[in-house]
Amino acid sequence: MNKKLLLIFLLNVSFICAWATPADTTISRNKYFTKPLNGSSIVLDGIPSEDAWGTVAWSGEFTQWQPNEGQKPTYPSHFKILYDNQYLYIAYECVDGSPDSIARRMGRRDDFPGDFIEINIDSYHDLRTAFSFTLSVSGVRGDEFVSNDGNNWDESWNPIWYAKTHINKQGWTAEVKIPFSQLRYGNETDKVWGIQVMRRIFRKEERSTWQFIPQNSGVWVSRFGELHGLKNIPMHRQVEIAPYITAQADVYKKEKGNPFADGFDSKVAIGVDGKVAITNDLILDYTINPDFGQVEADPSQVRIDGFQNFFDERRPFFIESRNIFDYQLTGSEAGGDYDSDLLFYSRRIGSSPHGYPNTNAGEYVKYPQNTTILGAAKFSGKTKKGWSIGILESITEREKATIDSFGKRRKELVEPLTSYFVGRIQKDINSGNTVIGGIFTAVNREHGLDDMLHRSAYSGGIDFLHFWKRRTWYVRGNVVFSNVNGSKEAILNTQTAFEHLFQRTNAKEISVDSGRTSLTGTGGTLRIGKIGGRSGKLGQIFKFETGVTFRSPQLELNDIGFMLTADEINHFTWAGLHFQRPFAFFRNARLNYNHWLRWDLGGQLLYQQVNMNMHATLKNNWQTGTGVTWNPYDVSNTSLRGAGSLRRPSGTGWNYYVTSDYRKKVYASLNLFRFWGDHNTMDARNAGLSIYVVPINALNISLSANYGYTWRRQDQFVSNTSYNSDPSIKRTVVAEVKQRTLRFVGRISYNVTPDLTIQYYGQPFITRPVYSNYAYVTDALNKDYKKRFHRYAATQLSDNGNNGYYVDENNDGFTDYSFSKPDFNFVEFRSNLVVRWEYRPGSEFYLVWSEGNNPDAYDELNNNLAGSLFNNAFSGGNARNIFLVKFTYRFVR
């Protein structure tokens, strides 16, 4: 089957490349003609008054893009462009009839607050990628790398550039200076670049553009206007070196008798980050002994369904240029868990160690919280001929835990020395109307923990994307593979792990082979969609996407990627009618339809779901939306953790949200969700409220609260065990569960200047699942819910006095098996206070205080949820406080 799918994929690629649509040359493009400074100078003060600016003309034919597409803007905007051998200079004039009403809100870099103006520069002139530079009237800078013709905006790109603004009686003006070394371009003598300029008037939420691009086009970069007149610009090889030094102190509760927990730890570290331009198109980024101490804490997450948690990447080195390495098995407008799998998930690098030492009573352990990254390097960029290249290599340290046994110490390996590699390549064909590419990843570990970890893990894929009809229609797809190698024990662990569960009793397509030392799997996606086209009188446009994706049972990506589960075939369809122009009391509106179907590769139907949803922005700038989901059929291959498939309750869900006008000094957002299981089998509720306050332009305050409640009548997994210790007779214990979760998140951000900020983040969190009415599974796929389980009678269960139960199933007075109580009361508090000062472009100073508190709150299972949270989260008894100072200085050539 896999060979046939690969053949079909290759035939599709060959057909599409042969059928490549010619580049569209009929688009009307604005043109701006720049001139060199020729020895003149520009004083960057936000006022374009120098004589040199008089040598070029203002360009000002802006068109409203939102809300009244195609109409004249409320106020005109103009820009000029000059250049010399080092820099591109841009002057802006933003006319405003009410200068006192200009929104001067502030925020951190890339917050894009208040009124702003931005320029997008397609210096590759590949019609797919661009560099975006945004300047708020308050002086806050934002920068993004734009890819996939405007469908991907990466805020992690942080170039060095300079800007000043000035408010006058006519509105506001600005001057920008961008080093050519921060851009990528070819070696042509006479260059033509794509450009787009956009202005935002915050109080009207109005955006106007220099090059009008209809929203129904579904594209962005490929429709830019053009910048002409750039001649004889020298090639600039970017070289940046940023050494750093950090000093850190950890303060925590002293543990009596534990030689590793005296209440205070400290360390000083040095390292270096850098960039070197190998060519003007290709950049080498490297980091030696990287430090991530200033990174904001991850939000608390606890799942009882067995699936792993996904956390966003927050470390600067891995965030920058991540779009190049992004490779989803599928990514769809239709959404769903099936499209969350990644071939490269950078959080695997430097994660917590996999092993734990063997210890005896009375021994203490010093255990590394994370694996040390010795160094990492990225080689990335795009050539003039359309080749996009990304290579990443990282080495993590061999980690050992130290065990103290009554004064004698030994060390045990908890993570072997590991190499992580990712290579990504793409080729634009026919001005980007067709793109083909591939990826390869490799993880190689030294010997150690061979019974747990793969010695090597490889994955790869080939992919294609083809547009036609002015890039309003597309077809795209990929085929991926994985190969893991290791000891028999390690491969057996993979076969029986939650993501695979080869031991499922009803699985026709797979079985456990305890003698295997390798595993090879495949996956793939094919989908077609429409993202633009002709629109009606109200700007309404029909969009859709449909496709299929599959994962073989043997596919394994989790050494360097992220995969929730294998052994699935998913079909998805999304269709939407989007109204992009104001009508009645709407600024815009969207109506969407989705459906999903899922099977395993044994042919068993797993899932059916249909969804309708609608969203709107009103003319008063309020946003609202609602949706209804019908889930008529649901079978899980993972709920019983390998004991077979389980039919889960069908039901209906509803969600609603509303957000008031975010232009106001105070606004709020409300989110509601409810799911009703058929025949009183399940109930899930969630409510969230967020309040945002902007008392002054420099201060932003937000507070959100979220409450979740889930009740499952009988089908929550508890344990798999053997009856009377006979491995041939299995019992899967399940229960009723009521899980309540409460989360608060507070954020405060204050700008002393655009480059000096103080930010606070705090999150108290509690989740409490309480189990009752225990039962064992009898007929897991029976249509009748009650016949799927046998609930224990009071005479069959007895408390074992050690947080568990004895089961006398046949009532003969002897214990047949036992299981532990699964209840828990998890409380956590996480916070960060960060002072960040960019004292010169690219050079930063940090002061950081972070706190983490995980108190033992099991004894409060029966207490009020909110009371238990606040009694424990701020108690401080088990808190760990980290104080850090970091200083970086970027040398630029």
Side-chain angles (χ1 to χ4, degrees), residues 374-428:
L374 296 175
K378 287 184 297 187
F379 179 69
S380 60
K382 186 169 186 176
T383 70
K384 184 64 179 177
K385 293 185 178 180
W387 287 99
S388 296
I389 300 169
I391 298 173
L392 184 146
E393 170 69 27
S394 182
I395 305 293
T396 57
E397 175 67 288
R398 180 187 302 109
E399 296 287 355
K400 294 184 177 181
T402 303
I403 302 98
D404 184 283
S405 180
F406 305 99
K408 294 183 179 181
R409 295 189 177 183
R410 68 182 189 276
K411 291 189 176 183
E412 291 189 19
L413 185 72
V414 293
E415 186 74 21
L417 183 74
T418 306
S419 165
Y420 296 88
F421 172 85
V422 184
R424 177 78 163 115
I425 190 168
Q426 289 180 293
K427 177 66 169 73
D428 293 357

Side-chain angles (χ1 to χ4, degrees), residues 322-340:
R322 62 182 170 183
N323 63 292
I324 295 176
F325 301 98
D326 183 28
Y327 197 103
Q328 289 181 288
L329 183 52
T330 181
S332 165
E333 292 282 358
D337 280 347
Y338 63 85
D339 71 347
S340 59

